Amino acid sequence: MLSRPKPGESEVDLLRFQNQFLSSGTTPAVRIARKVNKKDRCADEELPILQDQRDVVTLDKLPDLPPTLVPAPPKRARPSPRFKLPEDQDPEERLDQHDRHITAVFTKIIEHDTSAMAVTMPLPSGVAFPRVFHRSQKATQEKTPTSGKRSIFAQEIAARRKAEANNTPVQMSIPAWGQQDGSLTTEALGLREQGSCVPETGKSSQGPRLITGEGLQSEDAQREIQTIHEENLAKLHALGPEEILEEQQKLLAQLDPSLIAFLKSQRSTNGQAGVEGMEEQKSGTVVHETPKEEPVEPPPPSGYKWKQPELATSAPELPVTPQKEWLHMDSVELEKLQWTQDLPPLRRQKTQEGMQQARFSLQGELLAPDADLPTHLGLHHHGEEAERAGYSLQEIFHLARSQISQQRALALQVLARIISKAQGGEFGSQLTDSVLRLLLDAGFLFLLRFSLDDNVDSVIAAAAWALRALLVAPGDEELLDNTFSWYQGVAVFPLMPCQEEEEEEEDEETPAEKARKKSPQETRPPPDLARHDAVKGLLATQLLPRLRYLLEVTYPSPTVVQDILAVLIRVARHSLESATKVLECPRLIDTLVREFLPSSWSPVGEGPISRLHGVPCAAAMKLLRVLASAGRNISARLMSGFDLRSRLCRFVSEAPQELAMPIQEAEQLNTESFRLWAVAATYGQGGDLYRELYPVLIRALQALPQELSIRPHSRLAMLRISALITLLTHMTQASSSSGTELHALASNNPTESNLSPVPPSVTWVQVSGLRPLVEPILQQVLKELPQPDTWRALASLPSACLLYLAAHYQAWSQQPKLCPGECLQDVERISKELVLPLLSQPAFQALWDSLRPCSPLCNPLSCAPAPESVPNLVSLGCGGGCPPLSLAGSSSAFPFLTSLLSLINTLVRIHKGLCGQLASVLATPGLQDYLLHCGAASRAPRLTPFLAWALRHEYHLQYLVLTLAQRTAGLRPDPMPDAILYHTVALTLVSHLLPGSESLAHELLLGPVFRPEFLPEGASGGPEAADFSDKLNLGSSRRPGSGRGALLAEACRDLPSIRGCYLAHCTLPYPALLHSQALYWGQTLHIPSLLLPVPKEPLLPADWPFLPLIHLYHQASGPVSKALPSSSLGTATRALQWVLVLESWRPSSLRAVPPAARLARLMCVFLMDSDFFREAPIQHHITALLSWLCQPQAQSLLKLDCPLPGLASFPDLYTSFLEHFEAVSFGDSLFGMLVLLPLQRRYSVTLRLSLFGEHVGALRALGLPLTQLPVSLENYIAPPEDNLELLKLYFQALVMGTLCPHWCPVLYAVAVAHINSFIFSQDPKSSDVVVAASKWMLQKTWLLANECLKQHLLYYKLPNVALPEGFELYTQLPPLRQNRLQDVTNGLVKDGVPGS
């Protein structure tokens, strides 16, 4: 087998391959057929005969006269020098040889004289030709076999010709050749037997096959044809066989090859009939064939059965009998008509239905497997499982690719209904797999994209509906709209998937593939993108230009417009990149603003409208608001480049009732206008619009008390008022920015100076007059607190008012020309008139009691992933709406209490004298119970999109509670009663905060985490209690200064240094920290975007207390080994101090770190440097931590076989640890403790094999006394060792003297115990190999020259660390062991070979 050429081989290699192939003589797999031009083909060239073609030769394209020759300019022919014309050849004769025109064959054509024949003129007729008839009249006639695709006119002409042919007299039929001349038939047969090319006889022998006589109009046409035929036959019989062959060759050489192929194909036209006729003639039988008369409409004969009567008898009976008069029923296929029978009985299946058997109705409902529905519903079909009603996903997909537009539209509508119900959670408990996952894997995303390119409006409408149902979760937008006015509700997480799976796949790829994917020139295909991110895959298919075309050109219905706008909103929420693509799509934003946000429009009444173009649409305004939330630059471009200023003036200046449009749409449009303006104000934009519309805003605020007095409250009206208050809040925050901050931004961040932020054009004077109008609204709203139904109807309005007051006093306190006295008086007034009365209400206490039931942290199952959640299509999973007892539910008090705590913290920061009064909220029983459950949550829950959103708002409340507690603790002379609780919550919160909350994490590290007030144990006998506990547990005294109590007391004194150490090593990304600080502090000029980072994982790892140690370890063991800096000792000491504090007083904060991971972190300290572990602070703190890890309750949780966070493999770490111990330990006892701890019997045998197999030299340095062993010796001995390889290593180390009691007393006692148990074991289940090894080892022990070792191995009894050897010995072996010893050693004594 010859190999194919490979890339990189040269032409020399190709020539070598060619020579090998030619020398092998192998037949080539491909032959080159050179197509020769007909003009250059030789005359004697033959083409293969086409046997199976049945063409009809017509000479219509061949002109009767030669074409007219147009004189051309003279051309000088230059003969080729390599081709010389023969001198003796006549040019005319040479042309005749190559002439292939038909006149060259039929050179002598003699026409008959027709001058004496009578010419008859056509008779006039009064009817049209052809005769006009109805289609129903034609249906009763019998169809000809070839009339399947012929027109009615052609069928009528064929019927007339057939009728004329049937009317020909019988005497005009041409007899067979045998009738005229028997000798002719015999000679012809003889010629055919000799291989001549005489045409075969058969049906065609009755007359000529080439001459038809179409040009003859006389009655003697048939006679003339027959005469010509007889003359041709006479000439043929006059020639001999050789002459016939010679003439045949001449004809073949002169005729066109295509004409020859046609003439030869005529021989097989009626081949079967010809063969039968030839056989009959050979047998001497003369066949007389006379054409039968066939009427145009013959009656069916008696006993006629229609097409395959045998199948009709075997097939089941049909409910109706097919009639041949029915359309397209001329050929009945009974197997295709079986669907008309009655349905088979429904099979009862006991197995659980999977997605392959799931069937849906046309309304998208899942049908039960045993549902017996009537057939008139249209849910039955003749596919698989015909007895079951409904359509499977595969069948609906097949219908979506139909050529009929109605079927495509119906399939897409059904799929849209199925997706909507699936996202609503209706199929979660009935199906074993996800509907969305199956649809996306089947390519449903691109099916919708192709359907949008359809030219049928109904298909486009169905595709837009299905795309909206797929991308937009029903409750997501409602949730985000309702929480817009919450504390930090403007900022949201992007709805894009985490790239963890994609990064895992990229790790398996080669660097070349990674570089190819990351190169900007080569983009990934849409299916590959859609597999990881559905929105990115759609954007790669030019979705945005297509949607723009549909909106701009096709003018779809209002429903389709709403679907397209919803899809665009979902795309804009995906990421900053997607929002930028929406903004930069040519003419898309222009079309939206022009068509759906016009400044003037015709009045629209209530009810559905036929056209949405030219009418303001709230969804279009919402799309612009979502785009503006993606970034500062996008907001600036929208406000300045698309004339949104005039649109906002138009929609805000009038009340919703005054807009000439439906009231609900007007309310939503007004609300979205306020929200867009509020988003722009978050960036410090829209100040000029505020000054211009200031009278409008004042008039709207003055009308709110009267509007709030109307019952019942409208939900849309409450959202509109909340959006207005939120706008005023952001305008107030923007007024606190000054030109000095703008200058500081440009000087501190030169890289961001190119953004050129515009300073706010709103001053404090312009916004300070709003508080007297908002405060009465809040007081009126708070009166509804005792009425739960009315309070829930207010939605987020109370929270928005509280947040406005907090922003007002925050901005007031930051003014350069502040009057402290006036500000403090107003703070006291608002506290006395508003806050304190609120805190004393009984209904207010009930709000704190609702925290725990509504908390997602206390109830993680309430935020479980949606049943239809897929990794490449992110949604919040609020399809069924939020339940009342949830963070976003109607009974949740989180938004109101968070806003109230924000206001209280602002007031306490300004007026510290109010801290004692306002901090009474911290003593609420409901809050205490909630904080206890939050502090008990050790591990961060698994993040889902909705859980990340909910936890972010819950963490806001916890942070504000801790901030208030910190302010209160700093002002109290006595310790706080709940300081331990607050410190526990702070430690849990700092390890759970999500991306976007970098400012909160930084503030927690600066304040509550390392505050001495939150560690009351340091000042209330905590160190002394620790020393007493150690004496009780360990039963031994320690040196002064090295006990755990002294270390804890020193750590409490060094808390400021410990805080500085962790602030340096728990570093957060600086740009993200600035972004977060700007959001929480209201610095409008520093906010680049309202989109938060993707919440992949918490900001800090669960083992953040060990981060300084990990950083030092990586610095020392990196690819380029560096010497540790001089501050490394202090850094490691501070980290060990803090870990010791947490282990002693806050063990719940380290519950998320497994004990094995803590042990690994301590081992890394010894791997940093050769002498680093010898420092006294390191020795003291690691000894204290190790003694804590060696306690029984910690030992039960110490599992070294499980995967550890941040560690690839513990055996690999232990191997490195042994190498380092063998090299630099010099018998250090603490180092030896860490080496011995993983060698306990319950841990993996790999660790013990690593020591006794590869690092047996380390045994000499393991001189740790038995009395200093931190764990019981029983942990190393029980149960007996069963690994034969390790037992052999034990025995080898003992016999060779590597393991001695004075070098390594612990492992010597362990090895003796295991060898003794093994050599005296008599387990009947042991294998032959184990039994043989046991006997061999006992024999070798009996023959040992070292009597001390021999006595230890044979007479070992029990472990006892009080003895020097570490175990007790038998004075005399038990009888069972003595018998065992005698059985094994008798042979050695009797044979007299003690040395063998």
Side-chain angles (χ1 to χ4, degrees), residues 27 116 248 350 439 481 578 651 713 774 788 963 969 1033 1074 1169 1263:
T27 305
Q248 182 187 26
K350 298 182 180 180
L439 289 176
D481 290 343
S578 300
F651 303 136
H713 297 308
V774 178
T963 304
N1033 293 331
L1074 291 180
D1169 193 61

Side-chain angles (χ1 to χ4, degrees), residues 473-484 573 622 675 715 719 878-879 881-882:
D476 289 2
E477 292 299 326
E478 181 181 359
L479 173 67
L480 296 177
D481 290 343
N482 293 340
T483 59
F484 181 83
R573 288 195 185 277
K622 180 179 179 180
R675 288 174 179 171
R715 173 182 169 275
L719 292 178
C878 302
C882 295

Side-chain angles (χ1 to χ4, degrees), residues 557 625 708 792 1224:
S557 63
R625 186 252 298 179
L708 290 174
R792 285 193 290 267
V1224 301

Side-chain angles (χ1 to χ4, degrees), residues 1030-1288:
D1030 291 343
K1031 291 180 181 180
L1032 291 179
N1033 293 331
L1034 301 179
S1036 61
S1037 59
R1038 296 187 179 274
R1039 293 174 299 171
S1042 62
R1044 190 159 58 97
L1047 297 176
L1048 289 173
E1050 183 181 3
C1052 292
R1053 293 191 298 268
D1054 294 340
L1055 279 178
S1057 301
I1058 295 175
R1059 179 180 61 183
C1061 171
Y1062 278 92
L1063 286 175
H1065 287 86
C1066 296
T1067 55
L1068 301 171
Y1070 187 67
L1073 179 60
L1074 291 180
H1075 181 193
S1076 179
Q1077 288 176 346
L1079 278 175
Y1080 286 99
W1081 296 350
Q1083 298 176 350
T1084 57
L1085 298 182
H1086 297 71
I1087 301 176
S1089 173
L1090 294 178
L1091 280 182
L1092 303 173
V1094 180
K1096 298 180 182 180
E1097 57 186 3
L1099 288 173
L1100 296 177
D1103 59 344
W1104 67 270
F1106 296 91
L1107 276 182
L1109 301 179
I1110 296 174
H1111 290 168
L1112 291 176
Y1113 170 72
H1114 288 310
Q1115 185 177 357
S1117 62
V1120 180
S1121 182
K1122 298 181 181 179
L1124 292 176
S1126 57
S1127 60
S1128 299
L1129 178 60
T1131 300
T1133 303
R1134 302 293 176 261
L1136 293 174
Q1137 283 179 321
W1138 182 244
V1139 173
L1140 181 61
V1141 168
L1142 297 181
E1143 286 279 13
S1144 303
W1145 294 334
R1146 302 290 182 269
S1148 60
S1149 61
L1150 293 178
R1151 199 177 303 162
V1153 185
R1158 304 180 212 174
L1159 177 63
R1161 271 57 172 178
L1162 296 181
M1163 293 170 65
C1164 291
V1165 178
F1166 290 82
L1167 298 176
M1168 293 177 187
D1169 193 61
S1170 58
D1171 297 327
F1172 192 74
F1173 63 92
R1174 302 182 189 277
E1175 301 291 340
I1178 303 296
Q1179 289 273 327
H1180 297 329
H1181 287 91
I1182 291 185
T1183 301
L1185 290 172
L1186 187 60
S1187 63
W1188 186 262
L1189 282 175
C1190 293
Q1191 292 182 3
Q1193 62 269 22
Q1195 281 289 302
S1196 61
L1197 301 175
L1198 188 61
K1199 300 179 181 179
L1200 304 180
D1201 300 334
C1202 300
L1204 302 178
L1207 195 63
S1209 172
F1210 187 84
D1212 294 342
L1213 175 66
Y1214 188 71
T1215 302
S1216 303
F1217 196 71
L1218 287 178
E1219 293 176 355
H1220 201 68
F1221 174 79
E1222 192 175 1
V1224 301
S1225 68
F1226 296 102
D1228 183 79
S1229 59
L1230 181 60
F1231 211 153
M1233 287 183 187
L1234 290 173
V1235 171
L1236 291 174
L1237 190 61
L1239 298 179
Q1240 299 179 57
R1241 180 64 183 87
R1242 62 192 185 94
Y1243 298 134
S1244 174
V1245 70
T1246 307
L1247 305 177
R1248 299 189 289 276
L1249 288 173
S1250 177
L1251 174 61
F1252 283 90
E1254 302 174 4
H1255 303 281
V1256 68
L1259 296 175
R1260 186 160 186 165
L1262 280 172
L1264 182 70
L1266 288 168
T1267 55
Q1268 296 184 12
L1269 187 64
V1271 295
S1272 174
L1273 188 60
E1274 293 285 346
N1275 295 343
Y1276 296 87
I1277 296 176
E1281 185 63 58
D1282 56 357
N1283 187 277
L1284 185 59
E1285 182 181 359
L1286 181 60
L1287 289 170
K1288 291 180 179 179

Side-chain angles (χ1 to χ4, degrees), residues 70-102:
V70 180
K75 181 178 180 181
R76 296 183 180 181
R78 179 179 298 177
S80 176
R82 288 178 290 181
F83 180 76
K84 297 182 179 180
L85 296 175
E87 300 178 356
D88 56 346
Q89 186 176 6
D90 187 9
E92 183 178 357
E93 180 180 355
R94 186 168 177 269
L95 287 175
D96 292 339
Q97 292 179 358
H98 295 277
D99 191 3
R100 297 180 180 178
H101 194 263
I102 192 171

